[in-house]
Amino acid sequence: MTAQEARLCGLLLREHFGEVVEKIGTHLLRSGAQNLRTIVNESGTPIDLVKKSLCVLMKHGACRFSIGRKGPGSPVEYQASCERILGILRYPRYIYTAKTLYSDTGELIIEELLQRGHMTMSSIVKMVADRLTHNMEEGRSIEYNEVVSTFSKLVETHFLQRCPPVSEVVTGPPTPESFSDCYLVPSVSLAGRGKRRRSGEDVVLDQGTTKKAKTDLQTHGDEGIYWQVNFERFHLHFRDQTIISAVASKLDQTSSEIVRTMLRMSEVTTTPSASCTQALSANEVFRSLPANYSISRPILDQYLTLLVDDPMEFVGKTGDSGGGMYVVNLHKALTNLARATLESVVQEKFGSRSARIFRLLLRKRHLEQKQVEDFAMIPAKEAKDMLYTLMSENLVLLQELPKTPDHAPSRTFYLYTVNQLATARMLLQHCYKAVANLIDRRLFQTKESKRLLEKSQRIEAIMASLQASGAEPEQLTEVEEMISAPEKQQLESLRHHINKLDSAENQVDETIFLLKSYVASTARITR
Amino acid sequence: MAGRGRGRGRSNLTFSIEAMGFAKGEGLPPSILQPTPLFPPMEHKPVPLATGEEAEYMQALKQEFRGAMKTLPFYIRPAAPKTDVERYSDKYHSGEPADNVIDWKPDWSRLPKELRIRVRKPVENRVSLPVDRMDRSSANHNLSKKEDVLLKLEALEKGEKAGSSEDEDEDETKKKQKEEEGTEGEEEYEEEELEEVTCMQMYHITQG
């Protein structure tokens, strides 16, 4: 939990849950596990607001409670989870992935779950059905069963999981996987269709609304079983997507299809923390290729050989039985992708010659000043300059190798080196800082133009009401003219800036995901 | 001791100059005496952002999500401090957020007991809320028992008359606020009713 992460968490909490939750959340992040009274005293917030914030944070999984440190009698302690809050950055990506895999129904299910933290299956199904019905044309509505089937598919592929049961005596962080019924869909009696919410008509029907009150009180047999989004599964999916698109851009579409097939086949057999997938024989791969990619067997063998020989080492050969046993090297792929990211960052920031020096140092590990100049084929003065710039940014380190025990400077080797893991961590922190700055800038711009935005919103509302009540065109144009042309321009440019800032946040999040996966994967390997 | 090295030890540095790559006689670069500028000039311009359908869709999703979160009960706004004198109409205006009431219904079995707060009752009974709060709040309001009972009967009557439709009640309370507050309330009321018809993008900007 670094200062940059804490600042970013604070901004994310403020945007999504308000300033009260931001204050409590950042306080918990900075001071670790605390009990309720300490939080109230140290943060200076009234106890009711603290209670509400803690309830909200726990509903969304950002905070958990555990028994106090001093034993069973001591008050309950609360601990906030930095990673979970940072995950809010990635919500649009989760929703978009659900849309590509399970179309609109899946998208809405994931969106509703992300907005509300965790919910019972019946409430999700009802809400999603109502929303889908609302967006469809008049006269059509969605059966609950359709939503239930999409929900079951999401659970089968592990994208959704049950929340683990909560008990007062919690020893460590509860892992949902340790709960045996994690992916068991309860048998629920849900019959009905989505209700279309009509704005004006609800007022009239008395019976309609009493029926509505009754259905709200119905229990569906799955009380107490809450579902949450399984972020780890989404991350595995993203990792696979990244590898496949890297292969596609480096080699060609067919090789990426082969790698996609291999990853798909090993989805269930590979543990999430494995460094490479289970070995697959070339025969199996040939049989499982998608129907529209009919390549002949020798061609497949050639492609596999190419993939194995590629310096990025995405695919490795572990044996010769069954036509050749091949694995996808997940850890090596992540390492190489992270390395490519670092190289590209240096290139964009310092120019292609500095990038050449950086790549050289990554490949050759330790080099002296003279050797750097020779291998990179850059004149001495410029090479020196670039090296020092890279060193001042902490991308390149200096390793001293004494020849004599008295470490005399004239008799010591000074070697330049790059430490990939440390550099990746540092860049990760830079990314967090970048996103925090982007959010800050967006909030600042919105605040500056607040008056203008409010005015435009009022005018929109007036326009809409006039149109709904059927006014003449002169009235409409009159209202439109209440905003002057320069103001319209200002609004337009404001909208453009905000869109750009949002887009930039999404893109930085992709880099964050890659670097974080690499760091986590390396930590797992070395443990 | 200070003057002893004059002329002899002037360029006695801890590192050898040749190893660092400086030729003899060449000056060292000048030392910097102030912190680096806050916005240093960039020699290389950044790569343009990725555009395309996917990027735009995700950006729209992000803005919608932010806007939706602001409307959900999880967005906690602290109750505005009462700066004015207590007024008679206070007990009929429950007003928006109150600190000791939570707007959504959590599953209390999953939360520690100490966090339990009163859940805000649904809209039909909103008129009776001020009466309840008057009962429990601190010694400022000293109502006798008879007044309590009378007020409760009044509130229940009102509750029945107002009917069971949420919209009507909301409209009523909104109308009351509108009369009190003037044009601000009117726009809020219109926005409330017509938020679906309002231009989506402007909605995103103001909410996000």
Side-chain angles (χ1 to χ4, degrees), chain A residues 17 52 59 78 107 226 348-349 409 442 495 499 502 505 507, chain B residues 14 44 47 49-50 57 59 62-63 66 76 101 107 114 201:
Chain A
F17 299 109
K52 279 207 270 194
K59 179 112 184 5
Y78 303 93
E107 178 194 5
Y226 293 96
E348 293 305 325
K349 225 169 152 187
R442 181 161 44 83
R495 180 155 39 118
N499 285 350
D502 273 326
E505 278 175 46
Q507 252 192 286
Chain B
T14 49
H44 301 95
V47 180
L49 284 176
Y57 192 79
Q59 169 223 310
K62 194 181 177 89
Q63 288 173 343
R66 260 208 311 269
I76 296 184
V101 177
D107 185 358
E114 60 184 5
Q201 283 179 320

PDB file of all heavy atoms in Angstrom, chain A residues 17 52 59 78 107 226 348-349 409 442 495 499 502 505 507, chain B residues 14 44 47 49-50 57 59 62-63 66 76 101 107 114 201:
ATOM      1  N   PHE A  17     -18.667   6.646  -4.173  1.00  0.00           N
ATOM      2  CA  PHE A  17     -19.434   6.493  -2.942  1.00  0.00           C
ATOM      3  C   PHE A  17     -19.572   7.766  -2.140  1.00  0.00           C
ATOM      4  O   PHE A  17     -20.219   7.775  -1.106  1.00  0.00           O
ATOM      5  CB  PHE A  17     -18.793   5.429  -2.043  1.00  0.00           C
ATOM      6  CG  PHE A  17     -18.730   4.080  -2.667  1.00  0.00           C
ATOM      7  CD1 PHE A  17     -17.529   3.544  -3.066  1.00  0.00           C
ATOM      8  CD2 PHE A  17     -19.888   3.357  -2.883  1.00  0.00           C
ATOM      9  CE1 PHE A  17     -17.465   2.313  -3.658  1.00  0.00           C
ATOM     10  CE2 PHE A  17     -19.835   2.125  -3.479  1.00  0.00           C
ATOM     11  CZ  PHE A  17     -18.622   1.596  -3.865  1.00  0.00           C
ATOM     12  N   LYS A  52     -22.571   3.785   8.484  1.00  0.00           N
ATOM     13  CA  LYS A  52     -23.096   3.677   7.116  1.00  0.00           C
ATOM     14  C   LYS A  52     -21.976   3.396   6.130  1.00  0.00           C
ATOM     15  O   LYS A  52     -22.103   2.546   5.247  1.00  0.00           O
ATOM     16  CB  LYS A  52     -23.798   4.987   6.725  1.00  0.00           C
ATOM     17  CG  LYS A  52     -25.199   5.104   7.264  1.00  0.00           C
ATOM     18  CD  LYS A  52     -26.070   5.977   6.402  1.00  0.00           C
ATOM     19  CE  LYS A  52     -26.025   7.413   6.808  1.00  0.00           C
ATOM     20  NZ  LYS A  52     -27.095   8.201   6.208  1.00  0.00           N
ATOM     21  N   LYS A  59     -20.448  -4.138   1.866  1.00  0.00           N
ATOM     22  CA  LYS A  59     -21.332  -4.680   0.829  1.00  0.00           C
ATOM     23  C   LYS A  59     -20.560  -4.835  -0.473  1.00  0.00           C
ATOM     24  O   LYS A  59     -20.795  -5.753  -1.233  1.00  0.00           O
ATOM     25  CB  LYS A  59     -22.501  -3.720   0.608  1.00  0.00           C
ATOM     26  CG  LYS A  59     -23.477  -4.175  -0.460  1.00  0.00           C
ATOM     27  CD  LYS A  59     -24.781  -4.528   0.211  1.00  0.00           C
ATOM     28  CE  LYS A  59     -25.894  -5.091  -0.608  1.00  0.00           C
ATOM     29  NZ  LYS A  59     -25.998  -5.445  -1.842  1.00  0.00           N
ATOM     30  N   TYR A  78     -11.919  -3.728  11.672  1.00  0.00           N
ATOM     31  CA  TYR A  78     -12.242  -3.585  10.265  1.00  0.00           C
ATOM     32  C   TYR A  78     -10.972  -3.306   9.475  1.00  0.00           C
ATOM     33  O   TYR A  78     -10.101  -2.570   9.908  1.00  0.00           O
ATOM     34  CB  TYR A  78     -13.229  -2.432  10.062  1.00  0.00           C
ATOM     35  CG  TYR A  78     -14.482  -2.613  10.853  1.00  0.00           C
ATOM     36  CD1 TYR A  78     -14.611  -2.058  12.116  1.00  0.00           C
ATOM     37  CD2 TYR A  78     -15.526  -3.367  10.357  1.00  0.00           C
ATOM     38  CE1 TYR A  78     -15.746  -2.243  12.850  1.00  0.00           C
ATOM     39  CE2 TYR A  78     -16.664  -3.550  11.092  1.00  0.00           C
ATOM     40  CZ  TYR A  78     -16.774  -2.995  12.334  1.00  0.00           C
ATOM     41  OH  TYR A  78     -17.897  -3.182  13.065  1.00  0.00           O
ATOM     42  N   GLU A 107     -24.068  -8.755 -19.865  1.00  0.00           N
ATOM     43  CA  GLU A 107     -23.534  -7.427 -19.555  1.00  0.00           C
ATOM     44  C   GLU A 107     -24.315  -6.796 -18.412  1.00  0.00           C
ATOM     45  O   GLU A 107     -23.737  -6.264 -17.458  1.00  0.00           O
ATOM     46  CB  GLU A 107     -23.639  -6.561 -20.812  1.00  0.00           C
ATOM     47  CG  GLU A 107     -23.156  -5.150 -20.622  1.00  0.00           C
ATOM     48  CD  GLU A 107     -23.577  -4.250 -21.764  1.00  0.00           C
ATOM     49  OE1 GLU A 107     -24.321  -4.715 -22.645  1.00  0.00           O
ATOM     50  OE2 GLU A 107     -23.146  -3.091 -21.770  1.00  0.00           O
ATOM     51  N   TYR A 226     -25.665 -15.170  -1.469  1.00  0.00           N
ATOM     52  CA  TYR A 226     -25.304 -13.983  -2.212  1.00  0.00           C
ATOM     53  C   TYR A 226     -24.249 -14.318  -3.244  1.00  0.00           C
ATOM     54  O   TYR A 226     -23.382 -15.147  -3.017  1.00  0.00           O
ATOM     55  CB  TYR A 226     -24.777 -12.903  -1.266  1.00  0.00           C
ATOM     56  CG  TYR A 226     -25.850 -12.398  -0.344  1.00  0.00           C
ATOM     57  CD1 TYR A 226     -25.987 -12.909   0.939  1.00  0.00           C
ATOM     58  CD2 TYR A 226     -26.751 -11.437  -0.781  1.00  0.00           C
ATOM     59  CE1 TYR A 226     -26.984 -12.467   1.767  1.00  0.00           C
ATOM     60  CE2 TYR A 226     -27.750 -10.992   0.050  1.00  0.00           C
ATOM     61  CZ  TYR A 226     -27.864 -11.503   1.313  1.00  0.00           C
ATOM     62  OH  TYR A 226     -28.849 -11.070   2.134  1.00  0.00           O
ATOM     63  N   GLU A 348       9.230   5.793 -25.863  1.00  0.00           N
ATOM     64  CA  GLU A 348       8.357   6.950 -26.039  1.00  0.00           C
ATOM     65  C   GLU A 348       8.818   8.132 -25.212  1.00  0.00           C
ATOM     66  O   GLU A 348       8.574   9.281 -25.562  1.00  0.00           O
ATOM     67  CB  GLU A 348       6.919   6.598 -25.664  1.00  0.00           C
ATOM     68  CG  GLU A 348       6.274   5.597 -26.586  1.00  0.00           C
ATOM     69  CD  GLU A 348       6.315   6.034 -28.036  1.00  0.00           C
ATOM     70  OE1 GLU A 348       6.202   7.246 -28.300  1.00  0.00           O
ATOM     71  OE2 GLU A 348       6.489   5.171 -28.898  1.00  0.00           O
ATOM     72  N   LYS A 349       9.509   7.831 -24.105  1.00  0.00           N
ATOM     73  CA  LYS A 349       9.867   8.946 -23.242  1.00  0.00           C
ATOM     74  C   LYS A 349      11.223   9.552 -23.597  1.00  0.00           C
ATOM     75  O   LYS A 349      11.428  10.747 -23.467  1.00  0.00           O
ATOM     76  CB  LYS A 349       9.921   8.436 -21.799  1.00  0.00           C
ATOM     77  CG  LYS A 349       9.249   9.361 -20.844  1.00  0.00           C
ATOM     78  CD  LYS A 349       9.084   8.733 -19.487  1.00  0.00           C
ATOM     79  CE  LYS A 349       9.066   9.860 -18.460  1.00  0.00           C
ATOM     80  NZ  LYS A 349       9.063   9.403 -17.112  1.00  0.00           N
ATOM     81  N   PRO A 409      38.320   3.995  -6.287  1.00  0.00           N
ATOM     82  CA  PRO A 409      37.501   4.241  -7.467  1.00  0.00           C
ATOM     83  C   PRO A 409      38.238   3.971  -8.773  1.00  0.00           C
ATOM     84  O   PRO A 409      37.636   3.560  -9.751  1.00  0.00           O
ATOM     85  CB  PRO A 409      37.132   5.717  -7.371  1.00  0.00           C
ATOM     86  CG  PRO A 409      37.452   6.125  -6.003  1.00  0.00           C
ATOM     87  CD  PRO A 409      38.441   5.178  -5.436  1.00  0.00           C
ATOM     88  N   ARG A 442      -9.909  15.716 -14.189  1.00  0.00           N
ATOM     89  CA  ARG A 442     -11.305  15.658 -14.619  1.00  0.00           C
ATOM     90  C   ARG A 442     -12.207  16.344 -13.615  1.00  0.00           C
ATOM     91  O   ARG A 442     -13.107  17.105 -13.966  1.00  0.00           O
ATOM     92  CB  ARG A 442     -11.710  14.204 -14.826  1.00  0.00           C
ATOM     93  CG  ARG A 442     -13.111  14.036 -15.292  1.00  0.00           C
ATOM     94  CD  ARG A 442     -13.347  12.685 -15.910  1.00  0.00           C
ATOM     95  NE  ARG A 442     -12.759  11.592 -15.163  1.00  0.00           N
ATOM     96  CZ  ARG A 442     -13.313  11.014 -14.139  1.00  0.00           C
ATOM     97  NH1 ARG A 442     -14.464  11.449 -13.714  1.00  0.00           N
ATOM     98  NH2 ARG A 442     -12.713  10.027 -13.526  1.00  0.00           N
ATOM     99  N   ARG A 495     -16.827  18.529 -22.905  1.00  0.00           N
ATOM    100  CA  ARG A 495     -17.211  17.130 -23.076  1.00  0.00           C
ATOM    101  C   ARG A 495     -16.081  16.352 -23.741  1.00  0.00           C
ATOM    102  O   ARG A 495     -15.765  15.225 -23.357  1.00  0.00           O
ATOM    103  CB  ARG A 495     -18.468  17.055 -23.953  1.00  0.00           C
ATOM    104  CG  ARG A 495     -18.921  15.637 -24.167  1.00  0.00           C
ATOM    105  CD  ARG A 495     -20.372  15.536 -24.467  1.00  0.00           C
ATOM    106  NE  ARG A 495     -20.824  16.597 -25.321  1.00  0.00           N
ATOM    107  CZ  ARG A 495     -21.332  16.421 -26.526  1.00  0.00           C
ATOM    108  NH1 ARG A 495     -21.415  15.232 -27.020  1.00  0.00           N
ATOM    109  NH2 ARG A 495     -21.749  17.447 -27.214  1.00  0.00           N
ATOM    110  N   ASN A 499     -14.134  13.156 -22.135  1.00  0.00           N
ATOM    111  CA  ASN A 499     -14.095  11.853 -22.812  1.00  0.00           C
ATOM    112  C   ASN A 499     -12.666  11.369 -22.969  1.00  0.00           C
ATOM    113  O   ASN A 499     -12.367  10.195 -22.743  1.00  0.00           O
ATOM    114  CB  ASN A 499     -14.744  11.964 -24.198  1.00  0.00           C
ATOM    115  CG  ASN A 499     -16.245  12.042 -24.094  1.00  0.00           C
ATOM    116  OD1 ASN A 499     -16.797  11.830 -23.027  1.00  0.00           O
ATOM    117  ND2 ASN A 499     -16.894  12.361 -25.188  1.00  0.00           N
ATOM    118  N   ASP A 502     -11.298  10.126 -19.654  1.00  0.00           N
ATOM    119  CA  ASP A 502     -11.842   8.816 -19.302  1.00  0.00           C
ATOM    120  C   ASP A 502     -11.190   7.709 -20.116  1.00  0.00           C
ATOM    121  O   ASP A 502     -10.821   6.653 -19.594  1.00  0.00           O
ATOM    122  CB  ASP A 502     -13.361   8.796 -19.553  1.00  0.00           C
ATOM    123  CG  ASP A 502     -14.120   9.303 -18.364  1.00  0.00           C
ATOM    124  OD1 ASP A 502     -13.657   9.066 -17.239  1.00  0.00           O
ATOM    125  OD2 ASP A 502     -15.175   9.928 -18.559  1.00  0.00           O
ATOM    126  N   GLU A 505      -7.811   6.943 -18.844  1.00  0.00           N
ATOM    127  CA  GLU A 505      -7.822   6.112 -17.637  1.00  0.00           C
ATOM    128  C   GLU A 505      -7.956   4.645 -17.995  1.00  0.00           C
ATOM    129  O   GLU A 505      -7.256   3.792 -17.432  1.00  0.00           O
ATOM    130  CB  GLU A 505      -9.001   6.499 -16.751  1.00  0.00           C
ATOM    131  CG  GLU A 505      -8.770   7.697 -15.886  1.00  0.00           C
ATOM    132  CD  GLU A 505     -10.042   8.072 -15.141  1.00  0.00           C
ATOM    133  OE1 GLU A 505     -10.685   7.168 -14.600  1.00  0.00           O
ATOM    134  OE2 GLU A 505     -10.361   9.265 -15.138  1.00  0.00           O
ATOM    135  N   GLN A 507      -7.064   3.185 -20.708  1.00  0.00           N
ATOM    136  CA  GLN A 507      -5.853   2.655 -21.323  1.00  0.00           C
ATOM    137  C   GLN A 507      -4.747   2.430 -20.318  1.00  0.00           C
ATOM    138  O   GLN A 507      -4.016   1.427 -20.399  1.00  0.00           O
ATOM    139  CB  GLN A 507      -5.363   3.634 -22.386  1.00  0.00           C
ATOM    140  CG  GLN A 507      -5.594   3.091 -23.748  1.00  0.00           C
ATOM    141  CD  GLN A 507      -4.860   3.893 -24.779  1.00  0.00           C
ATOM    142  OE1 GLN A 507      -5.260   4.993 -25.099  1.00  0.00           O
ATOM    143  NE2 GLN A 507      -3.775   3.352 -25.276  1.00  0.00           N
TER     144      GLN A 507
ATOM    145  N   THR B  14      36.639  11.890  -5.772  1.00  0.00           N
ATOM    146  CA  THR B  14      36.651  10.492  -5.324  1.00  0.00           C
ATOM    147  C   THR B  14      36.571   9.512  -6.480  1.00  0.00           C
ATOM    148  O   THR B  14      36.794   8.332  -6.315  1.00  0.00           O
ATOM    149  CB  THR B  14      35.461  10.206  -4.398  1.00  0.00           C
ATOM    150  OG1 THR B  14      34.290  10.698  -5.035  1.00  0.00           O
ATOM    151  CG2 THR B  14      35.637  10.902  -3.068  1.00  0.00           C
ATOM    152  N   HIS B  44       9.603  14.467 -26.241  1.00  0.00           N
ATOM    153  CA  HIS B  44       8.876  13.558 -27.131  1.00  0.00           C
ATOM    154  C   HIS B  44       7.404  13.606 -26.782  1.00  0.00           C
ATOM    155  O   HIS B  44       7.013  13.389 -25.649  1.00  0.00           O
ATOM    156  CB  HIS B  44       9.386  12.122 -26.957  1.00  0.00           C
ATOM    157  CG  HIS B  44      10.844  11.998 -27.255  1.00  0.00           C
ATOM    158  ND1 HIS B  44      11.810  12.065 -26.285  1.00  0.00           N
ATOM    159  CD2 HIS B  44      11.495  11.833 -28.420  1.00  0.00           C
ATOM    160  CE1 HIS B  44      12.998  11.932 -26.855  1.00  0.00           C
ATOM    161  NE2 HIS B  44      12.836  11.794 -28.139  1.00  0.00           N
ATOM    162  N   VAL B  47       2.154   9.212 -27.350  1.00  0.00           N
ATOM    163  CA  VAL B  47       1.433   8.526 -28.417  1.00  0.00           C
ATOM    164  C   VAL B  47      -0.051   8.861 -28.299  1.00  0.00           C
ATOM    165  O   VAL B  47      -0.568   8.951 -27.193  1.00  0.00           O
ATOM    166  CB  VAL B  47       1.643   7.003 -28.273  1.00  0.00           C
ATOM    167  CG1 VAL B  47       0.924   6.256 -29.351  1.00  0.00           C
ATOM    168  CG2 VAL B  47       3.118   6.683 -28.282  1.00  0.00           C
ATOM    169  N   LEU B  49      -4.122   8.543 -28.053  1.00  0.00           N
ATOM    170  CA  LEU B  49      -4.927   7.528 -27.387  1.00  0.00           C
ATOM    171  C   LEU B  49      -5.502   6.563 -28.400  1.00  0.00           C
ATOM    172  O   LEU B  49      -5.725   6.910 -29.556  1.00  0.00           O
ATOM    173  CB  LEU B  49      -6.092   8.196 -26.657  1.00  0.00           C
ATOM    174  CG  LEU B  49      -5.771   8.914 -25.354  1.00  0.00           C
ATOM    175  CD1 LEU B  49      -7.019   9.589 -24.852  1.00  0.00           C
ATOM    176  CD2 LEU B  49      -5.261   7.931 -24.332  1.00  0.00           C
ATOM    177  N   ALA B  50      -5.788   5.365 -27.940  1.00  0.00           N
ATOM    178  CA  ALA B  50      -6.423   4.384 -28.819  1.00  0.00           C
ATOM    179  C   ALA B  50      -7.861   4.811 -29.051  1.00  0.00           C
ATOM    180  O   ALA B  50      -8.584   5.141 -28.117  1.00  0.00           O
ATOM    181  CB  ALA B  50      -6.385   3.011 -28.168  1.00  0.00           C
ATOM    182  N   TYR B  57     -16.859   2.539 -26.477  1.00  0.00           N
ATOM    183  CA  TYR B  57     -17.887   1.855 -25.703  1.00  0.00           C
ATOM    184  C   TYR B  57     -17.483   1.760 -24.247  1.00  0.00           C
ATOM    185  O   TYR B  57     -18.297   1.986 -23.340  1.00  0.00           O
ATOM    186  CB  TYR B  57     -18.125   0.456 -26.288  1.00  0.00           C
ATOM    187  CG  TYR B  57     -19.352  -0.208 -25.742  1.00  0.00           C
ATOM    188  CD1 TYR B  57     -20.606   0.145 -26.223  1.00  0.00           C
ATOM    189  CD2 TYR B  57     -19.275  -1.161 -24.743  1.00  0.00           C
ATOM    190  CE1 TYR B  57     -21.740  -0.446 -25.713  1.00  0.00           C
ATOM    191  CE2 TYR B  57     -20.408  -1.755 -24.236  1.00  0.00           C
ATOM    192  CZ  TYR B  57     -21.635  -1.395 -24.722  1.00  0.00           C
ATOM    193  OH  TYR B  57     -22.759  -1.976 -24.213  1.00  0.00           O
ATOM    194  N   GLN B  59     -15.508   3.731 -22.660  1.00  0.00           N
ATOM    195  CA  GLN B  59     -15.566   5.055 -22.039  1.00  0.00           C
ATOM    196  C   GLN B  59     -17.005   5.416 -21.688  1.00  0.00           C
ATOM    197  O   GLN B  59     -17.275   5.957 -20.609  1.00  0.00           O
ATOM    198  CB  GLN B  59     -14.949   6.051 -23.014  1.00  0.00           C
ATOM    199  CG  GLN B  59     -15.166   7.496 -22.653  1.00  0.00           C
ATOM    200  CD  GLN B  59     -15.528   8.274 -23.873  1.00  0.00           C
ATOM    201  OE1 GLN B  59     -14.860   8.203 -24.903  1.00  0.00           O
ATOM    202  NE2 GLN B  59     -16.606   9.009 -23.783  1.00  0.00           N
ATOM    203  N   LYS B  62     -17.993   3.549 -18.645  1.00  0.00           N
ATOM    204  CA  LYS B  62     -17.402   4.128 -17.437  1.00  0.00           C
ATOM    205  C   LYS B  62     -18.237   5.303 -16.956  1.00  0.00           C
ATOM    206  O   LYS B  62     -18.531   5.432 -15.765  1.00  0.00           O
ATOM    207  CB  LYS B  62     -15.987   4.586 -17.768  1.00  0.00           C
ATOM    208  CG  LYS B  62     -15.141   4.890 -16.565  1.00  0.00           C
ATOM    209  CD  LYS B  62     -13.788   5.363 -17.039  1.00  0.00           C
ATOM    210  CE  LYS B  62     -12.925   5.756 -15.886  1.00  0.00           C
ATOM    211  NZ  LYS B  62     -12.147   4.686 -15.345  1.00  0.00           N
ATOM    212  N   GLN B  63     -18.621   6.173 -17.905  1.00  0.00           N
ATOM    213  CA  GLN B  63     -19.374   7.352 -17.498  1.00  0.00           C
ATOM    214  C   GLN B  63     -20.759   6.973 -16.984  1.00  0.00           C
ATOM    215  O   GLN B  63     -21.241   7.539 -15.998  1.00  0.00           O
ATOM    216  CB  GLN B  63     -19.476   8.323 -18.668  1.00  0.00           C
ATOM    217  CG  GLN B  63     -18.137   8.987 -18.936  1.00  0.00           C
ATOM    218  CD  GLN B  63     -18.145   9.824 -20.179  1.00  0.00           C
ATOM    219  OE1 GLN B  63     -19.026   9.679 -21.021  1.00  0.00           O
ATOM    220  NE2 GLN B  63     -17.177  10.692 -20.321  1.00  0.00           N
ATOM    221  N   ARG B  66     -20.454   5.604 -13.446  1.00  0.00           N
ATOM    222  CA  ARG B  66     -20.282   6.672 -12.449  1.00  0.00           C
ATOM    223  C   ARG B  66     -21.596   7.356 -12.169  1.00  0.00           C
ATOM    224  O   ARG B  66     -21.948   7.611 -11.021  1.00  0.00           O
ATOM    225  CB  ARG B  66     -19.276   7.691 -12.976  1.00  0.00           C
ATOM    226  CG  ARG B  66     -17.912   7.549 -12.430  1.00  0.00           C
ATOM    227  CD  ARG B  66     -17.212   8.857 -12.413  1.00  0.00           C
ATOM    228  NE  ARG B  66     -17.295   9.561 -13.665  1.00  0.00           N
ATOM    229  CZ  ARG B  66     -16.413   9.446 -14.645  1.00  0.00           C
ATOM    230  NH1 ARG B  66     -15.385   8.654 -14.513  1.00  0.00           N
ATOM    231  NH2 ARG B  66     -16.570  10.138 -15.755  1.00  0.00           N
ATOM    232  N   ILE B  76     -23.105   8.109  -0.177  1.00  0.00           N
ATOM    233  CA  ILE B  76     -23.527   8.674   1.107  1.00  0.00           C
ATOM    234  C   ILE B  76     -23.248  10.163   1.118  1.00  0.00           C
ATOM    235  O   ILE B  76     -22.105  10.593   0.948  1.00  0.00           O
ATOM    236  CB  ILE B  76     -22.777   7.978   2.258  1.00  0.00           C
ATOM    237  CG1 ILE B  76     -23.181   6.516   2.264  1.00  0.00           C
ATOM    238  CG2 ILE B  76     -23.123   8.620   3.571  1.00  0.00           C
ATOM    239  CD1 ILE B  76     -22.596   5.741   3.381  1.00  0.00           C
ATOM    240  N   VAL B 101     -30.085   7.212   9.650  1.00  0.00           N
ATOM    241  CA  VAL B 101     -30.939   6.288   8.918  1.00  0.00           C
ATOM    242  C   VAL B 101     -30.193   5.836   7.672  1.00  0.00           C
ATOM    243  O   VAL B 101     -29.574   6.638   6.996  1.00  0.00           O
ATOM    244  CB  VAL B 101     -32.244   6.993   8.495  1.00  0.00           C
ATOM    245  CG1 VAL B 101     -33.093   6.063   7.681  1.00  0.00           C
ATOM    246  CG2 VAL B 101     -32.994   7.461   9.705  1.00  0.00           C
ATOM    247  N   ASP B 107     -28.009  -7.071   4.609  1.00  0.00           N
ATOM    248  CA  ASP B 107     -28.291  -8.322   5.302  1.00  0.00           C
ATOM    249  C   ASP B 107     -27.532  -8.272   6.621  1.00  0.00           C
ATOM    250  O   ASP B 107     -26.313  -8.475   6.672  1.00  0.00           O
ATOM    251  CB  ASP B 107     -27.805  -9.493   4.437  1.00  0.00           C
ATOM    252  CG  ASP B 107     -28.181 -10.820   5.054  1.00  0.00           C
ATOM    253  OD1 ASP B 107     -28.782 -10.811   6.164  1.00  0.00           O
ATOM    254  OD2 ASP B 107     -27.886 -11.848   4.443  1.00  0.00           O
ATOM    255  N   GLU B 114     -22.660  -4.386  15.882  1.00  0.00           N
ATOM    256  CA  GLU B 114     -22.500  -3.005  16.297  1.00  0.00           C
ATOM    257  C   GLU B 114     -22.798  -2.025  15.170  1.00  0.00           C
ATOM    258  O   GLU B 114     -23.019  -0.852  15.417  1.00  0.00           O
ATOM    259  CB  GLU B 114     -21.078  -2.771  16.795  1.00  0.00           C
ATOM    260  CG  GLU B 114     -20.031  -3.042  15.751  1.00  0.00           C
ATOM    261  CD  GLU B 114     -18.629  -2.900  16.314  1.00  0.00           C
ATOM    262  OE1 GLU B 114     -18.500  -2.678  17.524  1.00  0.00           O
ATOM    263  OE2 GLU B 114     -17.684  -3.007  15.540  1.00  0.00           O
ATOM    264  N   GLN B 201     -25.711  12.223 -22.612  1.00  0.00           N
ATOM    265  CA  GLN B 201     -24.322  12.627 -22.445  1.00  0.00           C
ATOM    266  C   GLN B 201     -24.188  13.746 -21.429  1.00  0.00           C
ATOM    267  O   GLN B 201     -23.288  13.721 -20.607  1.00  0.00           O
ATOM    268  CB  GLN B 201     -23.747  13.072 -23.778  1.00  0.00           C
ATOM    269  CG  GLN B 201     -23.424  11.881 -24.654  1.00  0.00           C
ATOM    270  CD  GLN B 201     -22.887  12.306 -25.988  1.00  0.00           C
ATOM    271  OE1 GLN B 201     -23.368  13.272 -26.582  1.00  0.00           O
ATOM    272  NE2 GLN B 201     -21.888  11.618 -26.478  1.00  0.00           N
TER     273      GLN B 201
END
